[in-house]
Amino acid sequence: MNIISLGFIASGLAAPTDGLDLFKLKVSSPVKNINDRYLSSNASAIGVYDIDDTAAIRVYQTSSKKAGCSQLHIYPVGIVDHALALVGSNGLMTLTDMVKPSGTKPADGLVMEWDTFRVSGGKLTNDGQGRWVAFPGAKDSWGVKWTDGSVFMTANYMPVEIVMEAAGKGRYNSE
């Protein structure tokens, strides 16, 4: 009787032969103190934080079941999947690091979209009408949200664009 290592079987089935194309997400804005800064994570909220740009999140793109849309998974690949998601209600959704997005159900009254991102001309948008906006926070931080334009917002937000910038190649379970 031959015994084969389960780790060998799992690594052979899960690991692709090609590397993943990785991207960093950079803010484009006419506001000098947010322009050309990279998105990073603060707990589960994705935004611009007063930290070194080496902490920028890196993502890789996979296909969505929704035509023309993508999912953006956070790298490095771990045992538990992390992906970017938009979570909110009433026309304003926060860009979030969602743990196990395919198995997560939104709380009552909330909308959760994690497979509706579109990339065109190197810029990231969401499926449907709307735009990215950034709200100032403490210590030179900015929260990034998606709005469909139907919600009333305070006047302190800035319209921004999110640019997907190539960040090299990655592999499953290794740097």
Side-chain angles (χ1 to χ4, degrees):
M1 176 182 204
N2 291 335
I3 299 176
I4 299 174
S5 164
L6 289 177
F8 174 77
I9 293 171
S11 67
L13 296 174
T17 56
D18 296 328
L20 299 168
D21 290 328
L22 300 179
F23 299 91
K24 291 194 284 186
L25 304 174
K26 183 166 58 173
V27 174
S28 175
S29 170
V31 177
K32 194 177 211 178
N33 63 342
I34 191 174
N35 189 48
D36 288 337
R37 291 181 62 192
Y38 293 97
L39 297 183
S40 57
S41 179
N42 182 5
S44 66
I46 303 294
V48 174
Y49 298 101
D50 191 21
I51 55 177
D52 190 324
D53 281 340
T54 59
I57 59 168
R58 294 178 295 166
V59 298
Y60 61 96
Q61 187 176 0
T62 62
S63 296
S64 170
K65 292 179 182 176
K66 297 177 181 174
C69 294
S70 298
Q71 300 170 10
L72 296 175
H73 297 269
I74 297 175
Y75 185 84
V77 177
I79 295 171
V80 178
D81 184 26
H82 285 249
L84 294 185
L86 294 169
V87 180
S89 62
N90 298 326
L92 188 64
M93 297 186 288
T94 302
L95 188 59
T96 304
D97 172 353
M98 178 68 61
V99 178
K100 297 192 291 185
S102 63
T104 302
K105 302 289 182 220
D108 287 342
L110 288 180
V111 174
M112 181 185 81
E113 298 177 0
W114 69 281
D115 57 353
T116 59
F117 293 105
R118 290 189 180 270
V119 180
S120 177
K123 294 182 181 169
L124 180 65
T125 63
N126 188 37
D127 195 27
Q129 293 184 6
R131 66 180 179 183
W132 293 110
V133 292
F135 289 88
K139 298 182 181 179
D140 198 29
S141 67
W142 293 78
V144 176
K145 300 178 184 286
W146 179 264
T147 180
D148 66 8
S150 68
V151 64
F152 172 78
M153 295 185 295
T154 59
N156 65 341
Y157 73 90
M158 287 290 127
V160 297
E161 291 182 327
I162 306 297
V163 177
M164 290 187 61
E165 184 177 276
K169 294 272 186 197
R171 293 181 51 187
Y172 279 94
N173 301 320
S174 67
E175 290 282 337

